[in-house]
Amino acid sequence: MPVTTTMLEQAGAGYDPNPARAHSLHADCYQNPAFAVLERTAIFHRSWQFLCHEESLREPGSYAATEIQGQSVFACRDGDGALRAFYNACRHRGHELVKGTGRSDHIVCPYHAWVYRLDGRLERARRSETIEHFTASDICLASVRVETFCHLVFLNLDPNATSLAQISAGLGGKIRHYAPDLAHLTHAHRLTYNIQANWKTVIDNFLECYHCPVAHKDFCSLVEMDTYKVTTHGIYSSHMAKAGRSANNAYAVNDASVTDHAVWYLWPNTALLRYPGRGNFMVWRFYPAGPEQTYEEFDFYLQDREPNGAEREAIRFIDEVLQPEDINLVESVQRGMRTPGFERGRYLIDPAGSGMSEHAVHHFHGLVLEAYKNASVS
């Protein structure tokens, strides 16, 4: 059953533009499969999705493939240096053309060996001379929006989408300020997780540190919590703090060149992070894998392909301490949402905008409700 007008009204019935007066999304939004179906097209097929660091697409002929909620796509660098993206489907029978990352002078379909140029145009179709009114050059792969933003490549299935640089006004400058070396960092590690919770449950938890003193005592020793500041902007929010001034229980930062904890949430499912330590940048994605399941990918970009001892310790802390703490939290929240004991809650708001405040969660819920509304009238 699709989402009805009544269901949409219930979803945001307690929401108010003022977070101090507002109630959160209704629990049904986190469980009902109808909302998962709506979000696939209303949110994920209309938003900018991270693909890779530009290092993977720097050379002519390089390509990288991914899936955006059921839609197979890829980007490539053509011979003239232009970055292009297409649906990953041959125009003959729809077979996927590439997988993963690689490099090739042409795109050759593995099914019937139709050959495409890197600009998407069909160059030749094997044994097509018997087809009437067939001109190879008239056939082209279906294009997808692609943009390089702060040396990171994003895709958008919406052909009319506003540029990411424009719609996230101000974010690019902030990232370049805190991570001036981002262009020169290289992919060094990936963590993945399968979580038994809705993707919004996971992001709700990510967007506030009200729970940190309770659930993340080691993390709270890594940063100075009294400097933690959260600010919301159009389609993103920033989460900033200074590195701890004394020894911590997370990982060693004695020789750190990065002394800020700088994190940005980018609508709808991407987090961009710069942790205290050596030059680093992380891109964290939260993908719906079902109404109550989330698949996470957490990529680390470092100065070298092989993490040093301190970086391995930081990765270990995230993987073995911080993530299990958060996963336990969000899976418990998801189980609680299934009971009749919870429908919606209030936001704890600090007018000073500290990390103890949940105003970024309220901001995220507003974006979700706006996407629901736009979908219902489209």
Side-chain angles (χ1 to χ4, degrees), residues 177-181 219 221-228 239-246 248 251-264 273-280 282 303:
H177 171 76
Y178 283 96
D181 56 352
F219 172 80
S221 72
L222 177 65
V223 301
E224 292 295 331
M225 292 301 295
D226 60 349
T227 68
Y228 205 119
H239 307 251
M240 304 294 176
K242 289 293 183 182
R245 294 182 284 266
S246 58
N248 72 80
Y251 60 89
V253 291
N254 300 334
D255 300 320
S257 57
V258 177
T259 58
D260 290 293
H261 166 83
V263 175
W264 300 271
L273 310 91
R274 175 95 156 175
Y275 269 19
R278 204 165 63 130
N280 70 90
M282 292 162 276
Q303 292 179 203

mmCIF file of all heavy atoms in Angstrom, residues 177-181 219 221-228 239-246 248 251-264 273-280 282 303:
data_model
loop_
_atom_site.group_PDB
_atom_site.id
_atom_site.type_symbol
_atom_site.label_atom_id
_atom_site.label_comp_id
_atom_site.label_asym_id
_atom_site.label_seq_id
_atom_site.Cartn_x
_atom_site.Cartn_y
_atom_site.Cartn_z
ATOM 1 N N HIS A 177 38.611 24.862 4.110
ATOM 2 C CA HIS A 177 39.314 25.497 5.226
ATOM 3 C C HIS A 177 39.849 24.445 6.197
ATOM 4 O O HIS A 177 41.016 24.513 6.611
ATOM 5 C CB HIS A 177 38.381 26.453 5.966
ATOM 6 C CG HIS A 177 38.946 26.983 7.246
ATOM 7 N ND1 HIS A 177 39.912 27.973 7.280
ATOM 8 C CD2 HIS A 177 38.692 26.652 8.554
ATOM 9 C CE1 HIS A 177 40.234 28.226 8.538
ATOM 10 N NE2 HIS A 177 39.510 27.435 9.330
ATOM 11 N N TYR A 178 39.014 23.486 6.567
ATOM 12 C CA TYR A 178 39.419 22.496 7.553
ATOM 13 C C TYR A 178 40.228 21.349 6.957
ATOM 14 O O TYR A 178 40.984 20.681 7.675
ATOM 15 C CB TYR A 178 38.190 21.934 8.277
ATOM 16 C CG TYR A 178 37.630 22.861 9.316
ATOM 17 C CD1 TYR A 178 36.575 23.718 9.023
ATOM 18 C CD2 TYR A 178 38.162 22.900 10.606
ATOM 19 C CE1 TYR A 178 36.056 24.582 9.981
ATOM 20 C CE2 TYR A 178 37.651 23.760 11.571
ATOM 21 C CZ TYR A 178 36.599 24.594 11.259
ATOM 22 O OH TYR A 178 36.087 25.449 12.200
ATOM 23 N N ALA A 179 40.076 21.098 5.654
ATOM 24 C CA ALA A 179 40.788 19.992 5.007
ATOM 25 C C ALA A 179 41.459 20.483 3.727
ATOM 26 O O ALA A 179 41.107 20.050 2.622
ATOM 27 C CB ALA A 179 39.837 18.844 4.714
ATOM 28 N N PRO A 180 42.443 21.389 3.840
ATOM 29 C CA PRO A 180 43.083 21.942 2.631
ATOM 30 C C PRO A 180 43.873 20.906 1.838
ATOM 31 O O PRO A 180 44.209 21.144 0.672
ATOM 32 C CB PRO A 180 44.008 23.028 3.206
ATOM 33 C CG PRO A 180 44.285 22.594 4.609
ATOM 34 C CD PRO A 180 43.021 21.938 5.079
ATOM 35 N N ASP A 181 44.150 19.753 2.438
ATOM 36 C CA ASP A 181 44.926 18.706 1.775
ATOM 37 C C ASP A 181 44.057 17.630 1.145
ATOM 38 O O ASP A 181 44.563 16.609 0.675
ATOM 39 C CB ASP A 181 45.870 18.060 2.791
ATOM 40 C CG ASP A 181 45.130 17.517 4.019
ATOM 41 O OD1 ASP A 181 43.920 17.787 4.142
ATOM 42 O OD2 ASP A 181 45.771 16.849 4.851
ATOM 43 N N PHE A 219 35.041 8.728 23.647
ATOM 44 C CA PHE A 219 34.982 9.798 22.649
ATOM 45 C C PHE A 219 35.000 11.161 23.326
ATOM 46 O O PHE A 219 35.642 12.102 22.842
ATOM 47 C CB PHE A 219 33.724 9.654 21.788
ATOM 48 C CG PHE A 219 33.496 10.818 20.865
ATOM 49 C CD1 PHE A 219 34.187 10.915 19.667
ATOM 50 C CD2 PHE A 219 32.595 11.827 21.197
ATOM 51 C CE1 PHE A 219 33.989 11.994 18.814
ATOM 52 C CE2 PHE A 219 32.397 12.902 20.350
ATOM 53 C CZ PHE A 219 33.093 12.985 19.161
ATOM 54 N N SER A 221 36.522 12.046 25.810
ATOM 55 C CA SER A 221 37.875 12.402 26.230
ATOM 56 C C SER A 221 38.748 12.813 25.045
ATOM 57 O O SER A 221 39.824 13.386 25.221
ATOM 58 C CB SER A 221 38.527 11.226 26.970
ATOM 59 O OG SER A 221 38.859 10.167 26.077
ATOM 60 N N LEU A 222 38.281 12.515 23.827
ATOM 61 C CA LEU A 222 39.029 12.861 22.614
ATOM 62 C C LEU A 222 38.848 14.318 22.240
ATOM 63 O O LEU A 222 39.760 14.955 21.705
ATOM 64 C CB LEU A 222 38.574 11.963 21.452
ATOM 65 C CG LEU A 222 39.183 12.226 20.075
ATOM 66 C CD1 LEU A 222 40.682 11.957 20.077
ATOM 67 C CD2 LEU A 222 38.489 11.369 19.024
ATOM 68 N N VAL A 223 37.662 14.877 22.485
ATOM 69 C CA VAL A 223 37.368 16.270 22.136
ATOM 70 C C VAL A 223 36.971 17.040 23.391
ATOM 71 O O VAL A 223 36.566 16.453 24.399
ATOM 72 C CB VAL A 223 36.230 16.354 21.096
ATOM 73 C CG1 VAL A 223 36.596 15.604 19.834
ATOM 74 C CG2 VAL A 223 34.926 15.825 21.667
ATOM 75 N N GLU A 224 37.116 18.342 23.304
ATOM 76 C CA GLU A 224 36.686 19.204 24.404
ATOM 77 C C GLU A 224 35.195 19.470 24.233
ATOM 78 O O GLU A 224 34.780 20.271 23.398
ATOM 79 C CB GLU A 224 37.480 20.511 24.381
ATOM 80 C CG GLU A 224 38.948 20.338 24.716
ATOM 81 C CD GLU A 224 39.174 19.875 26.153
ATOM 82 O OE1 GLU A 224 38.329 20.197 27.004
ATOM 83 O OE2 GLU A 224 40.178 19.191 26.401
ATOM 84 N N MET A 225 34.388 18.783 25.016
ATOM 85 C CA MET A 225 32.949 18.861 24.838
ATOM 86 C C MET A 225 32.402 20.263 25.065
ATOM 87 O O MET A 225 31.354 20.627 24.525
ATOM 88 C CB MET A 225 32.249 17.862 25.759
ATOM 89 C CG MET A 225 32.494 16.401 25.394
ATOM 90 S SD MET A 225 31.961 15.981 23.713
ATOM 91 C CE MET A 225 30.194 16.218 23.848
ATOM 92 N N ASP A 226 33.104 21.080 25.858
ATOM 93 C CA ASP A 226 32.610 22.441 26.083
ATOM 94 C C ASP A 226 32.801 23.333 24.866
ATOM 95 O O ASP A 226 32.292 24.450 24.825
ATOM 96 C CB ASP A 226 33.266 23.064 27.313
ATOM 97 C CG ASP A 226 34.785 23.161 27.207
ATOM 98 O OD1 ASP A 226 35.365 22.568 26.271
ATOM 99 O OD2 ASP A 226 35.402 23.824 28.063
ATOM 100 N N THR A 227 33.544 22.842 23.841
ATOM 101 C CA THR A 227 33.711 23.604 22.593
ATOM 102 C C THR A 227 32.816 23.061 21.475
ATOM 103 O O THR A 227 32.822 23.590 20.368
ATOM 104 C CB THR A 227 35.169 23.549 22.114
ATOM 105 O OG1 THR A 227 35.504 22.215 21.686
ATOM 106 C CG2 THR A 227 36.122 23.982 23.215
ATOM 107 N N TYR A 228 32.059 21.997 21.753
ATOM 108 C CA TYR A 228 31.250 21.329 20.729
ATOM 109 C C TYR A 228 30.098 22.250 20.321
ATOM 110 O O TYR A 228 29.281 22.652 21.126
ATOM 111 C CB TYR A 228 30.689 20.023 21.286
ATOM 112 C CG TYR A 228 30.355 18.982 20.242
ATOM 113 C CD1 TYR A 228 30.990 17.739 20.242
ATOM 114 C CD2 TYR A 228 29.397 19.221 19.264
ATOM 115 C CE1 TYR A 228 30.680 16.767 19.309
ATOM 116 C CE2 TYR A 228 29.085 18.262 18.320
ATOM 117 C CZ TYR A 228 29.727 17.027 18.348
ATOM 118 O OH TYR A 228 29.422 16.074 17.417
ATOM 119 N N HIS A 239 29.258 20.179 12.767
ATOM 120 C CA HIS A 239 29.447 19.705 14.137
ATOM 121 C C HIS A 239 30.933 19.861 14.460
ATOM 122 O O HIS A 239 31.750 19.056 14.009
ATOM 123 C CB HIS A 239 28.994 18.253 14.257
ATOM 124 C CG HIS A 239 27.593 18.020 13.764
ATOM 125 N ND1 HIS A 239 26.538 17.745 14.603
ATOM 126 C CD2 HIS A 239 27.064 18.068 12.506
ATOM 127 C CE1 HIS A 239 25.426 17.626 13.898
ATOM 128 N NE2 HIS A 239 25.725 17.812 12.613
ATOM 129 N N MET A 240 31.281 20.886 15.223
ATOM 130 C CA MET A 240 32.674 21.274 15.419
ATOM 131 C C MET A 240 33.075 21.234 16.887
ATOM 132 O O MET A 240 32.297 21.599 17.768
ATOM 133 C CB MET A 240 32.898 22.694 14.883
ATOM 134 C CG MET A 240 32.519 22.889 13.431
ATOM 135 S SD MET A 240 33.599 21.938 12.344
ATOM 136 C CE MET A 240 32.855 22.279 10.757
ATOM 137 N N ALA A 241 34.309 20.778 17.122
ATOM 138 C CA ALA A 241 34.861 20.793 18.478
ATOM 139 C C ALA A 241 36.380 20.793 18.388
ATOM 140 O O ALA A 241 36.959 20.389 17.370
ATOM 141 C CB ALA A 241 34.385 19.588 19.285
ATOM 142 N N LYS A 242 37.011 21.229 19.434
ATOM 143 C CA LYS A 242 38.462 21.197 19.521
ATOM 144 C C LYS A 242 38.915 19.845 20.068
ATOM 145 O O LYS A 242 38.231 19.228 20.889
ATOM 146 C CB LYS A 242 38.975 22.313 20.435
ATOM 147 C CG LYS A 242 38.835 23.710 19.844
ATOM 148 C CD LYS A 242 39.746 23.884 18.640
ATOM 149 C CE LYS A 242 39.667 25.307 18.073
ATOM 150 N NZ LYS A 242 40.535 25.444 16.877
ATOM 151 N N ALA A 243 40.101 19.413 19.618
ATOM 152 C CA ALA A 243 40.666 18.184 20.161
ATOM 153 C C ALA A 243 40.963 18.369 21.643
ATOM 154 O O ALA A 243 41.227 19.487 22.113
ATOM 155 C CB ALA A 243 41.947 17.817 19.409
ATOM 156 N N GLY A 244 40.908 17.278 22.391
ATOM 157 C CA GLY A 244 41.155 17.336 23.820
ATOM 158 C C GLY A 244 42.529 17.914 24.144
ATOM 159 O O GLY A 244 43.500 17.710 23.405
ATOM 160 N N ARG A 245 42.619 18.601 25.256
ATOM 161 C CA ARG A 245 43.867 19.251 25.660
ATOM 162 C C ARG A 245 44.715 18.361 26.552
ATOM 163 O O ARG A 245 45.792 18.754 26.972
ATOM 164 C CB ARG A 245 43.543 20.564 26.376
ATOM 165 C CG ARG A 245 42.891 21.611 25.465
ATOM 166 C CD ARG A 245 42.638 22.917 26.207
ATOM 167 N NE ARG A 245 41.490 22.823 27.092
ATOM 168 C CZ ARG A 245 40.262 23.177 26.752
ATOM 169 N NH1 ARG A 245 40.009 23.616 25.525
ATOM 170 N NH2 ARG A 245 39.264 23.075 27.620
ATOM 171 N N SER A 246 44.245 17.174 26.836
ATOM 172 C CA SER A 246 44.999 16.257 27.693
ATOM 173 C C SER A 246 44.857 14.839 27.147
ATOM 174 O O SER A 246 44.186 14.607 26.144
ATOM 175 C CB SER A 246 44.479 16.342 29.131
ATOM 176 O OG SER A 246 43.090 16.030 29.176
ATOM 177 N N ASN A 248 43.724 11.144 26.328
ATOM 178 C CA ASN A 248 42.366 10.643 26.158
ATOM 179 C C ASN A 248 42.359 9.118 26.130
ATOM 180 O O ASN A 248 43.414 8.483 26.017
ATOM 181 C CB ASN A 248 41.739 11.225 24.887
ATOM 182 C CG ASN A 248 42.343 10.641 23.624
ATOM 183 O OD1 ASN A 248 42.001 9.542 23.199
ATOM 184 N ND2 ASN A 248 43.266 11.383 23.006
ATOM 185 N N TYR A 251 42.284 7.345 21.251
ATOM 186 C CA TYR A 251 43.509 6.997 20.534
ATOM 187 C C TYR A 251 44.491 8.154 20.675
ATOM 188 O O TYR A 251 44.107 9.302 20.948
ATOM 189 C CB TYR A 251 43.240 6.679 19.060
ATOM 190 C CG TYR A 251 42.611 7.806 18.263
ATOM 191 C CD1 TYR A 251 43.391 8.765 17.621
ATOM 192 C CD2 TYR A 251 41.226 7.890 18.122
ATOM 193 C CE1 TYR A 251 42.811 9.793 16.876
ATOM 194 C CE2 TYR A 251 40.637 8.906 17.388
ATOM 195 C CZ TYR A 251 41.441 9.849 16.760
ATOM 196 O OH TYR A 251 40.854 10.859 16.031
ATOM 197 N N ALA A 252 45.769 7.875 20.483
ATOM 198 C CA ALA A 252 46.820 8.864 20.716
ATOM 199 C C ALA A 252 46.780 9.966 19.665
ATOM 200 O O ALA A 252 46.680 9.696 18.469
ATOM 201 C CB ALA A 252 48.189 8.184 20.723
ATOM 202 N N VAL A 253 46.865 11.216 20.121
ATOM 203 C CA VAL A 253 46.918 12.365 19.208
ATOM 204 C C VAL A 253 48.087 13.274 19.599
ATOM 205 O O VAL A 253 48.053 14.480 19.379
ATOM 206 C CB VAL A 253 45.587 13.159 19.215
ATOM 207 C CG1 VAL A 253 44.476 12.351 18.577
ATOM 208 C CG2 VAL A 253 45.195 13.569 20.627
ATOM 209 N N ASN A 254 49.148 12.684 20.149
ATOM 210 C CA ASN A 254 50.276 13.464 20.648
ATOM 211 C C ASN A 254 50.932 14.296 19.559
ATOM 212 O O ASN A 254 51.317 15.446 19.784
ATOM 213 C CB ASN A 254 51.326 12.532 21.274
ATOM 214 C CG ASN A 254 50.762 11.731 22.434
ATOM 215 O OD1 ASN A 254 49.815 12.165 23.073
ATOM 216 N ND2 ASN A 254 51.336 10.562 22.691
ATOM 217 N N ASP A 255 51.083 13.732 18.376
ATOM 218 C CA ASP A 255 51.745 14.424 17.269
ATOM 219 C C ASP A 255 50.752 14.879 16.211
ATOM 220 O O ASP A 255 51.083 14.973 15.029
ATOM 221 C CB ASP A 255 52.797 13.501 16.630
ATOM 222 C CG ASP A 255 53.862 13.071 17.622
ATOM 223 O OD1 ASP A 255 54.282 13.912 18.438
ATOM 224 O OD2 ASP A 255 54.254 11.882 17.589
ATOM 225 N N ALA A 256 49.527 15.155 16.620
ATOM 226 C CA ALA A 256 48.476 15.499 15.663
ATOM 227 C C ALA A 256 48.751 16.824 14.975
ATOM 228 O O ALA A 256 49.098 17.819 15.613
ATOM 229 C CB ALA A 256 47.133 15.561 16.383
ATOM 230 N N SER A 257 48.594 16.826 13.648
ATOM 231 C CA SER A 257 48.643 18.073 12.890
ATOM 232 C C SER A 257 47.236 18.627 12.703
ATOM 233 O O SER A 257 47.063 19.809 12.409
ATOM 234 C CB SER A 257 49.296 17.830 11.519
ATOM 235 O OG SER A 257 48.608 16.820 10.790
ATOM 236 N N VAL A 258 46.224 17.758 12.858
ATOM 237 C CA VAL A 258 44.827 18.180 12.808
ATOM 238 C C VAL A 258 44.320 18.241 14.248
ATOM 239 O O VAL A 258 44.314 17.233 14.955
ATOM 240 C CB VAL A 258 43.975 17.177 11.997
ATOM 241 C CG1 VAL A 258 42.504 17.587 12.028
ATOM 242 C CG2 VAL A 258 44.476 17.089 10.565
ATOM 243 N N THR A 259 43.924 19.402 14.685
ATOM 244 C CA THR A 259 43.512 19.581 16.085
ATOM 245 C C THR A 259 42.039 19.931 16.226
ATOM 246 O O THR A 259 41.604 20.347 17.294
ATOM 247 C CB THR A 259 44.370 20.677 16.748
ATOM 248 O OG1 THR A 259 44.225 21.898 16.008
ATOM 249 C CG2 THR A 259 45.844 20.273 16.791
ATOM 250 N N ASP A 260 41.283 19.778 15.144
ATOM 251 C CA ASP A 260 39.849 20.034 15.186
ATOM 252 C C ASP A 260 39.075 18.754 14.880
ATOM 253 O O ASP A 260 39.487 17.950 14.042
ATOM 254 C CB ASP A 260 39.445 21.096 14.163
ATOM 255 C CG ASP A 260 39.951 22.478 14.523
ATOM 256 O OD1 ASP A 260 39.483 23.027 15.526
ATOM 257 O OD2 ASP A 260 40.826 22.991 13.802
ATOM 258 N N HIS A 261 37.962 18.607 15.555
ATOM 259 C CA HIS A 261 36.971 17.595 15.206
ATOM 260 C C HIS A 261 35.949 18.325 14.346
ATOM 261 O O HIS A 261 35.160 19.131 14.843
ATOM 262 C CB HIS A 261 36.334 17.041 16.484
ATOM 263 C CG HIS A 261 35.087 16.241 16.258
ATOM 264 N ND1 HIS A 261 35.107 14.917 15.908
ATOM 265 C CD2 HIS A 261 33.778 16.589 16.334
ATOM 266 C CE1 HIS A 261 33.866 14.476 15.791
ATOM 267 N NE2 HIS A 261 33.038 15.469 16.043
ATOM 268 N N ALA A 262 36.011 18.106 13.037
ATOM 269 C CA ALA A 262 35.149 18.832 12.090
ATOM 270 C C ALA A 262 34.299 17.820 11.342
ATOM 271 O O ALA A 262 34.826 16.952 10.630
ATOM 272 C CB ALA A 262 35.983 19.658 11.119
ATOM 273 N N VAL A 263 32.987 17.920 11.498
ATOM 274 C CA VAL A 263 32.063 16.964 10.903
ATOM 275 C C VAL A 263 30.919 17.715 10.245
ATOM 276 O O VAL A 263 30.403 18.688 10.802
ATOM 277 C CB VAL A 263 31.502 16.002 11.984
ATOM 278 C CG1 VAL A 263 30.440 15.090 11.394
ATOM 279 C CG2 VAL A 263 32.629 15.185 12.602
ATOM 280 N N TRP A 264 30.525 17.246 9.068
ATOM 281 C CA TRP A 264 29.381 17.833 8.371
ATOM 282 C C TRP A 264 28.425 16.708 7.970
ATOM 283 O O TRP A 264 28.837 15.689 7.424
ATOM 284 C CB TRP A 264 29.816 18.579 7.116
ATOM 285 C CG TRP A 264 30.752 19.699 7.394
ATOM 286 C CD1 TRP A 264 30.443 20.995 7.673
ATOM 287 C CD2 TRP A 264 32.199 19.630 7.389
ATOM 288 N NE1 TRP A 264 31.583 21.735 7.859
ATOM 289 C CE2 TRP A 264 32.675 20.922 7.697
ATOM 290 C CE3 TRP A 264 33.127 18.610 7.178
ATOM 291 C CZ2 TRP A 264 34.030 21.214 7.788
ATOM 292 C CZ3 TRP A 264 34.480 18.888 7.270
ATOM 293 C CH2 TRP A 264 34.910 20.184 7.572
ATOM 294 N N LEU A 273 33.870 13.871 7.484
ATOM 295 C CA LEU A 273 34.509 13.998 8.789
ATOM 296 C C LEU A 273 36.006 14.256 8.680
ATOM 297 O O LEU A 273 36.679 13.711 7.798
ATOM 298 C CB LEU A 273 34.293 12.732 9.618
ATOM 299 C CG LEU A 273 32.880 12.164 9.766
ATOM 300 C CD1 LEU A 273 32.580 11.150 8.671
ATOM 301 C CD2 LEU A 273 32.694 11.508 11.123
ATOM 302 N N ARG A 274 36.517 15.041 9.606
ATOM 303 C CA ARG A 274 37.948 15.283 9.768
ATOM 304 C C ARG A 274 38.225 15.160 11.269
ATOM 305 O O ARG A 274 37.812 16.005 12.052
ATOM 306 C CB ARG A 274 38.291 16.682 9.253
ATOM 307 C CG ARG A 274 39.745 17.119 9.470
ATOM 308 C CD ARG A 274 40.600 16.849 8.265
ATOM 309 N NE ARG A 274 41.769 17.731 8.229
ATOM 310 C CZ ARG A 274 42.744 17.642 7.328
ATOM 311 N NH1 ARG A 274 42.663 16.743 6.371
ATOM 312 N NH2 ARG A 274 43.765 18.465 7.356
ATOM 313 N N TYR A 275 38.900 14.084 11.659
ATOM 314 C CA TYR A 275 39.151 13.814 13.076
ATOM 315 C C TYR A 275 40.535 14.305 13.484
ATOM 316 O O TYR A 275 41.438 14.434 12.634
ATOM 317 C CB TYR A 275 39.056 12.309 13.333
ATOM 318 C CG TYR A 275 37.682 11.801 13.724
ATOM 319 C CD1 TYR A 275 36.531 12.529 13.467
ATOM 320 C CD2 TYR A 275 37.535 10.576 14.361
ATOM 321 C CE1 TYR A 275 35.280 12.057 13.824
ATOM 322 C CE2 TYR A 275 36.291 10.085 14.730
ATOM 323 C CZ TYR A 275 35.166 10.832 14.453
ATOM 324 O OH TYR A 275 33.930 10.356 14.819
ATOM 325 N N PRO A 276 40.752 14.556 14.764
ATOM 326 C CA PRO A 276 42.103 14.894 15.244
ATOM 327 C C PRO A 276 43.090 13.790 14.888
ATOM 328 O O PRO A 276 42.771 12.601 14.954
ATOM 329 C CB PRO A 276 41.912 15.002 16.764
ATOM 330 C CG PRO A 276 40.471 15.360 16.946
ATOM 331 C CD PRO A 276 39.749 14.618 15.850
ATOM 332 N N GLY A 277 44.305 14.192 14.497
ATOM 333 C CA GLY A 277 45.342 13.239 14.111
ATOM 334 C C GLY A 277 46.185 13.798 12.984
ATOM 335 O O GLY A 277 46.363 15.010 12.855
ATOM 336 N N ARG A 278 46.677 12.916 12.121
ATOM 337 C CA ARG A 278 47.382 13.333 10.919
ATOM 338 C C ARG A 278 46.361 13.707 9.863
ATOM 339 O O ARG A 278 45.167 13.503 10.046
ATOM 340 C CB ARG A 278 48.270 12.166 10.445
ATOM 341 C CG ARG A 278 49.461 12.593 9.587
ATOM 342 C CD ARG A 278 50.484 11.472 9.454
ATOM 343 N NE ARG A 278 49.970 10.299 8.777
ATOM 344 C CZ ARG A 278 50.587 9.692 7.760
ATOM 345 N NH1 ARG A 278 51.729 10.177 7.285
ATOM 346 N NH2 ARG A 278 50.082 8.604 7.225
ATOM 347 N N GLY A 279 46.803 14.277 8.739
ATOM 348 C CA GLY A 279 45.887 14.666 7.677
ATOM 349 C C GLY A 279 44.954 13.533 7.301
ATOM 350 O O GLY A 279 45.405 12.429 6.974
ATOM 351 N N ASN A 280 43.649 13.770 7.346
ATOM 352 C CA ASN A 280 42.692 12.702 7.092
ATOM 353 C C ASN A 280 41.359 13.297 6.660
ATOM 354 O O ASN A 280 41.070 14.472 6.883
ATOM 355 C CB ASN A 280 42.481 11.849 8.342
ATOM 356 C CG ASN A 280 41.739 12.599 9.438
ATOM 357 O OD1 ASN A 280 40.509 12.573 9.512
ATOM 358 N ND2 ASN A 280 42.482 13.305 10.306
ATOM 359 N N MET A 282 37.166 11.528 6.089
ATOM 360 C CA MET A 282 36.338 10.328 6.047
ATOM 361 C C MET A 282 34.994 10.654 5.410
ATOM 362 O O MET A 282 34.458 11.744 5.621
ATOM 363 C CB MET A 282 36.127 9.778 7.455
ATOM 364 C CG MET A 282 37.392 9.207 8.086
ATOM 365 S SD MET A 282 37.271 9.053 9.892
ATOM 366 C CE MET A 282 37.706 10.717 10.398
ATOM 367 N N GLN A 303 46.984 10.293 4.262
ATOM 368 C CA GLN A 303 48.139 10.776 3.513
ATOM 369 C C GLN A 303 48.829 9.663 2.740
ATOM 370 O O GLN A 303 49.438 9.909 1.692
ATOM 371 C CB GLN A 303 49.121 11.446 4.476
ATOM 372 C CG GLN A 303 48.609 12.742 5.067
ATOM 373 C CD GLN A 303 49.556 13.391 6.042
ATOM 374 O OE1 GLN A 303 49.153 14.168 6.891
ATOM 375 N NE2 GLN A 303 50.845 13.117 5.935
#
